[in-house]
Amino acid sequence: MQTFTTKTIRDIALESPQTTRVFEEFKIDYCCGGRKLLNEVCLEAGLDFALIAKKLESVMNDNSRSGDSGLPEKKSPSQLIDYIIGKHHLFTAQEVERLTPLMEKVCQRHGEQHPELFKLQTIFLALADSLIPHMRKEETVLFPFIQQLELSSTGEVSLPASHFGTVENPIRMMMSDHEEDGERLRVMREISNDYVLPDGACPSYTALYAGLQDLEKDLHRHIHLENNVLFPAATQLERDVFALVR
Ligand SMILES: [Fe+2]
Ligand SMILES: [Fe+2]
């Protein structure tokens, strides 16, 4: 029997990435808010801790039986960066492009009967305006620097020059964006009443809510991999490289 009372959400998610499915199911924040203890989060949100612990244990046992090799959490920083760009950045950019006109169409057709759609659109557009430049900054500034750090850590190439000082500075900026986008996702869920469709919702309305929920789920996983796996690894790499040149 696992002891979940002394573990943070982040620790549980890192130990067994499959547990993030349980966190998604109960709307427990495992990316930006992942540093809280599971029992505290349950208490705050009025969730049944014993039930959640049982579900977590069950997916953790399934995981240990099937093995966890190949999980992105086990990749090197450079491999993880390739994975994040190829899977999460690509998906996010495609979905923002697809959902933006769909959102407009649903607002035009149903906004009169469902005015909350306009509020949802405002937050979604703010989210899109944040995500696209955010990913560009990661791909052009932070990620190449981390890849250089990884090469330097072997002593084969020298420490990369940067205009931002320590890697912790851009990481702090990216984490602050994550926090704001996480809050936008939370507000969108609130406005849409947990994406419950009205009676007789048309296919576009249905497709929009399904798409927004998929985007939310993907972003939670994406942010978790950066905040909890890649960024701590990059900070450690930088320390190792500094120790090497001293
Ligand atoms: Fe990213
Ligand atoms: Fe990010």
mmCIF file of all heavy atoms in Angstrom, residues 168-191:
data_model
loop_
_atom_site.group_PDB
_atom_site.id
_atom_site.type_symbol
_atom_site.label_atom_id
_atom_site.label_comp_id
_atom_site.label_asym_id
_atom_site.label_seq_id
_atom_site.Cartn_x
_atom_site.Cartn_y
_atom_site.Cartn_z
ATOM 1 N N GLU A 168 18.095 29.898 -15.299
ATOM 2 C CA GLU A 168 16.936 30.041 -14.407
ATOM 3 C C GLU A 168 16.095 31.267 -14.759
ATOM 4 O O GLU A 168 14.903 31.310 -14.449
ATOM 5 C CB GLU A 168 17.398 30.101 -12.946
ATOM 6 C CG GLU A 168 17.885 28.735 -12.493
ATOM 7 C CD GLU A 168 18.330 28.703 -11.050
ATOM 8 O OE1 GLU A 168 17.565 29.176 -10.202
ATOM 9 O OE2 GLU A 168 19.434 28.211 -10.790
ATOM 10 N N ASN A 169 16.707 32.266 -15.406
ATOM 11 C CA ASN A 169 15.930 33.466 -15.769
ATOM 12 C C ASN A 169 14.866 33.184 -16.833
ATOM 13 O O ASN A 169 13.682 33.461 -16.593
ATOM 14 C CB ASN A 169 16.865 34.606 -16.193
ATOM 15 C CG ASN A 169 17.650 35.127 -15.005
ATOM 16 O OD1 ASN A 169 17.157 35.116 -13.874
ATOM 17 N ND2 ASN A 169 18.874 35.552 -15.240
ATOM 18 N N PRO A 170 15.226 32.635 -18.015
ATOM 19 C CA PRO A 170 14.149 32.314 -18.966
ATOM 20 C C PRO A 170 13.184 31.253 -18.428
ATOM 21 O O PRO A 170 11.988 31.288 -18.738
ATOM 22 C CB PRO A 170 14.887 31.822 -20.214
ATOM 23 C CG PRO A 170 16.269 31.494 -19.775
ATOM 24 C CD PRO A 170 16.554 32.384 -18.597
ATOM 25 N N ILE A 171 13.685 30.333 -17.617
ATOM 26 C CA ILE A 171 12.801 29.305 -17.040
ATOM 27 C C ILE A 171 11.730 29.983 -16.182
ATOM 28 O O ILE A 171 10.546 29.650 -16.257
ATOM 29 C CB ILE A 171 13.612 28.263 -16.207
ATOM 30 C CG1 ILE A 171 14.348 27.308 -17.151
ATOM 31 C CG2 ILE A 171 12.706 27.501 -15.243
ATOM 32 C CD1 ILE A 171 15.228 26.281 -16.463
ATOM 33 N N ARG A 172 12.157 30.961 -15.373
ATOM 34 C CA ARG A 172 11.204 31.669 -14.515
ATOM 35 C C ARG A 172 10.117 32.356 -15.368
ATOM 36 O O ARG A 172 8.946 32.323 -15.040
ATOM 37 C CB ARG A 172 11.944 32.696 -13.663
ATOM 38 C CG ARG A 172 11.191 33.058 -12.391
ATOM 39 C CD ARG A 172 12.010 33.958 -11.485
ATOM 40 N NE ARG A 172 13.287 33.368 -11.089
ATOM 41 C CZ ARG A 172 14.492 33.879 -11.338
ATOM 42 N NH1 ARG A 172 14.617 35.006 -11.988
ATOM 43 N NH2 ARG A 172 15.596 33.291 -10.933
ATOM 44 N N MET A 173 10.561 32.939 -16.493
ATOM 45 C CA MET A 173 9.587 33.610 -17.375
ATOM 46 C C MET A 173 8.610 32.614 -17.984
ATOM 47 O O MET A 173 7.406 32.858 -18.056
ATOM 48 C CB MET A 173 10.318 34.349 -18.509
ATOM 49 C CG MET A 173 11.004 35.614 -18.048
ATOM 50 S SD MET A 173 12.116 36.239 -19.315
ATOM 51 C CE MET A 173 10.964 36.666 -20.597
ATOM 52 N N MET A 174 9.135 31.469 -18.425
ATOM 53 C CA MET A 174 8.266 30.450 -19.029
ATOM 54 C C MET A 174 7.281 29.903 -17.997
ATOM 55 O O MET A 174 6.110 29.687 -18.293
ATOM 56 C CB MET A 174 9.100 29.295 -19.614
ATOM 57 C CG MET A 174 9.981 29.671 -20.784
ATOM 58 S SD MET A 174 9.090 30.363 -22.199
ATOM 59 C CE MET A 174 9.494 32.077 -22.104
ATOM 60 N N MET A 175 7.759 29.716 -16.758
ATOM 61 C CA MET A 175 6.873 29.178 -15.715
ATOM 62 C C MET A 175 5.790 30.180 -15.342
ATOM 63 O O MET A 175 4.665 29.795 -15.009
ATOM 64 C CB MET A 175 7.679 28.760 -14.483
ATOM 65 C CG MET A 175 8.440 27.477 -14.749
ATOM 66 S SD MET A 175 9.448 26.910 -13.384
ATOM 67 C CE MET A 175 8.235 26.212 -12.279
ATOM 68 N N SER A 176 6.131 31.459 -15.444
ATOM 69 C CA SER A 176 5.124 32.479 -15.160
ATOM 70 C C SER A 176 4.040 32.460 -16.261
ATOM 71 O O SER A 176 2.833 32.547 -15.970
ATOM 72 C CB SER A 176 5.828 33.829 -15.043
ATOM 73 O OG SER A 176 4.955 34.862 -15.244
ATOM 74 N N ASP A 177 4.455 32.290 -17.521
ATOM 75 C CA ASP A 177 3.475 32.127 -18.608
ATOM 76 C C ASP A 177 2.598 30.893 -18.354
ATOM 77 O O ASP A 177 1.379 30.927 -18.553
ATOM 78 C CB ASP A 177 4.180 31.913 -19.960
ATOM 79 C CG ASP A 177 4.822 33.187 -20.504
ATOM 80 O OD1 ASP A 177 4.590 34.264 -19.934
ATOM 81 O OD2 ASP A 177 5.554 33.088 -21.512
ATOM 82 N N HIS A 178 3.230 29.797 -17.947
ATOM 83 C CA HIS A 178 2.471 28.561 -17.698
ATOM 84 C C HIS A 178 1.387 28.798 -16.652
ATOM 85 O O HIS A 178 0.266 28.302 -16.767
ATOM 86 C CB HIS A 178 3.399 27.447 -17.191
ATOM 87 C CG HIS A 178 4.376 26.939 -18.211
ATOM 88 N ND1 HIS A 178 5.454 26.163 -17.886
ATOM 89 C CD2 HIS A 178 4.419 27.117 -19.558
ATOM 90 C CE1 HIS A 178 6.127 25.874 -18.995
ATOM 91 N NE2 HIS A 178 5.518 26.448 -20.011
ATOM 92 N N GLU A 179 1.786 29.529 -15.614
ATOM 93 C CA GLU A 179 0.852 29.818 -14.520
ATOM 94 C C GLU A 179 -0.360 30.595 -15.058
ATOM 95 O O GLU A 179 -1.510 30.265 -14.761
ATOM 96 C CB GLU A 179 1.591 30.670 -13.485
ATOM 97 C CG GLU A 179 0.882 30.858 -12.171
ATOM 98 C CD GLU A 179 1.328 29.835 -11.129
ATOM 99 O OE1 GLU A 179 2.496 29.403 -11.144
ATOM 100 O OE2 GLU A 179 0.480 29.476 -10.321
ATOM 101 N N GLU A 180 -0.080 31.609 -15.866
ATOM 102 C CA GLU A 180 -1.174 32.433 -16.412
ATOM 103 C C GLU A 180 -2.053 31.620 -17.355
ATOM 104 O O GLU A 180 -3.284 31.732 -17.331
ATOM 105 C CB GLU A 180 -0.599 33.631 -17.181
ATOM 106 C CG GLU A 180 -0.041 34.692 -16.269
ATOM 107 C CD GLU A 180 0.642 35.817 -17.026
ATOM 108 O OE1 GLU A 180 0.464 35.911 -18.258
ATOM 109 O OE2 GLU A 180 1.357 36.594 -16.386
ATOM 110 N N ASP A 181 -1.436 30.788 -18.191
ATOM 111 C CA ASP A 181 -2.228 29.979 -19.124
ATOM 112 C C ASP A 181 -3.025 28.904 -18.385
ATOM 113 O O ASP A 181 -4.158 28.599 -18.770
ATOM 114 C CB ASP A 181 -1.322 29.358 -20.195
ATOM 115 C CG ASP A 181 -0.775 30.432 -21.133
ATOM 116 O OD1 ASP A 181 -1.381 31.524 -21.197
ATOM 117 O OD2 ASP A 181 0.255 30.184 -21.786
ATOM 118 N N GLY A 182 -2.432 28.356 -17.326
ATOM 119 C CA GLY A 182 -3.149 27.377 -16.502
ATOM 120 C C GLY A 182 -4.398 28.009 -15.897
ATOM 121 O O GLY A 182 -5.467 27.391 -15.841
ATOM 122 N N GLU A 183 -4.262 29.259 -15.467
ATOM 123 C CA GLU A 183 -5.399 29.975 -14.889
ATOM 124 C C GLU A 183 -6.463 30.232 -15.971
ATOM 125 O O GLU A 183 -7.666 30.113 -15.719
ATOM 126 C CB GLU A 183 -4.910 31.295 -14.266
ATOM 127 C CG GLU A 183 -5.973 32.177 -13.648
ATOM 128 C CD GLU A 183 -6.768 31.515 -12.516
ATOM 129 O OE1 GLU A 183 -6.349 30.469 -11.988
ATOM 130 O OE2 GLU A 183 -7.850 32.060 -12.175
ATOM 131 N N ARG A 184 -6.016 30.550 -17.181
ATOM 132 C CA ARG A 184 -6.985 30.768 -18.285
ATOM 133 C C ARG A 184 -7.773 29.477 -18.544
ATOM 134 O O ARG A 184 -8.987 29.522 -18.745
ATOM 135 C CB ARG A 184 -6.251 31.205 -19.560
ATOM 136 C CG ARG A 184 -5.708 32.622 -19.466
ATOM 137 C CD ARG A 184 -5.132 33.101 -20.793
ATOM 138 N NE ARG A 184 -4.693 34.469 -20.673
ATOM 139 C CZ ARG A 184 -3.411 34.871 -20.640
ATOM 140 N NH1 ARG A 184 -2.439 33.986 -20.749
ATOM 141 N NH2 ARG A 184 -3.109 36.142 -20.514
ATOM 142 N N LEU A 185 -7.084 28.359 -18.546
ATOM 143 C CA LEU A 185 -7.776 27.077 -18.781
ATOM 144 C C LEU A 185 -8.805 26.821 -17.683
ATOM 145 O O LEU A 185 -9.907 26.334 -17.947
ATOM 146 C CB LEU A 185 -6.768 25.918 -18.812
ATOM 147 C CG LEU A 185 -5.832 25.858 -20.016
ATOM 148 C CD1 LEU A 185 -4.742 24.817 -19.792
ATOM 149 C CD2 LEU A 185 -6.601 25.530 -21.298
ATOM 150 N N ARG A 186 -8.432 27.174 -16.461
ATOM 151 C CA ARG A 186 -9.342 26.957 -15.337
ATOM 152 C C ARG A 186 -10.595 27.830 -15.487
ATOM 153 O O ARG A 186 -11.717 27.374 -15.318
ATOM 154 C CB ARG A 186 -8.615 27.275 -14.024
ATOM 155 C CG ARG A 186 -9.299 26.753 -12.779
ATOM 156 C CD ARG A 186 -8.759 27.391 -11.518
ATOM 157 N NE ARG A 186 -8.937 28.827 -11.483
ATOM 158 C CZ ARG A 186 -10.104 29.447 -11.297
ATOM 159 N NH1 ARG A 186 -11.202 28.740 -11.114
ATOM 160 N NH2 ARG A 186 -10.170 30.761 -11.286
ATOM 161 N N VAL A 187 -10.379 29.092 -15.871
ATOM 162 C CA VAL A 187 -11.510 30.017 -16.036
ATOM 163 C C VAL A 187 -12.401 29.556 -17.204
ATOM 164 O O VAL A 187 -13.628 29.611 -17.117
ATOM 165 C CB VAL A 187 -11.004 31.467 -16.254
ATOM 166 C CG1 VAL A 187 -12.142 32.406 -16.596
ATOM 167 C CG2 VAL A 187 -10.272 31.964 -15.017
ATOM 168 N N MET A 188 -11.795 29.053 -18.268
ATOM 169 C CA MET A 188 -12.587 28.562 -19.402
ATOM 170 C C MET A 188 -13.479 27.398 -18.980
ATOM 171 O O MET A 188 -14.633 27.290 -19.386
ATOM 172 C CB MET A 188 -11.656 28.127 -20.550
ATOM 173 C CG MET A 188 -11.038 29.302 -21.291
ATOM 174 S SD MET A 188 -9.736 28.797 -22.416
ATOM 175 C CE MET A 188 -10.674 27.871 -23.629
ATOM 176 N N ARG A 189 -12.937 26.549 -18.142
ATOM 177 C CA ARG A 189 -13.724 25.403 -17.662
ATOM 178 C C ARG A 189 -14.886 25.901 -16.795
ATOM 179 O O ARG A 189 -15.997 25.356 -16.849
ATOM 180 C CB ARG A 189 -12.783 24.466 -16.883
ATOM 181 C CG ARG A 189 -13.399 23.194 -16.426
ATOM 182 C CD ARG A 189 -12.377 22.160 -16.016
ATOM 183 N NE ARG A 189 -11.971 21.298 -17.101
ATOM 184 C CZ ARG A 189 -12.713 20.335 -17.633
ATOM 185 N NH1 ARG A 189 -13.925 20.098 -17.162
ATOM 186 N NH2 ARG A 189 -12.267 19.600 -18.630
ATOM 187 N N GLU A 190 -14.611 26.922 -16.019
ATOM 188 C CA GLU A 190 -15.653 27.487 -15.144
ATOM 189 C C GLU A 190 -16.768 28.126 -15.989
ATOM 190 O O GLU A 190 -17.951 27.862 -15.769
ATOM 191 C CB GLU A 190 -14.989 28.536 -14.254
ATOM 192 C CG GLU A 190 -15.758 28.920 -13.020
ATOM 193 C CD GLU A 190 -14.895 29.860 -12.174
ATOM 194 O OE1 GLU A 190 -14.074 29.352 -11.397
ATOM 195 O OE2 GLU A 190 -15.040 31.094 -12.318
ATOM 196 N N ILE A 191 -16.371 28.954 -16.968
ATOM 197 C CA ILE A 191 -17.353 29.644 -17.811
ATOM 198 C C ILE A 191 -18.236 28.638 -18.555
ATOM 199 O O ILE A 191 -19.438 28.836 -18.711
ATOM 200 C CB ILE A 191 -16.628 30.549 -18.849
ATOM 201 C CG1 ILE A 191 -15.908 31.699 -18.150
ATOM 202 C CG2 ILE A 191 -17.607 31.096 -19.894
ATOM 203 C CD1 ILE A 191 -14.999 32.507 -19.064
#
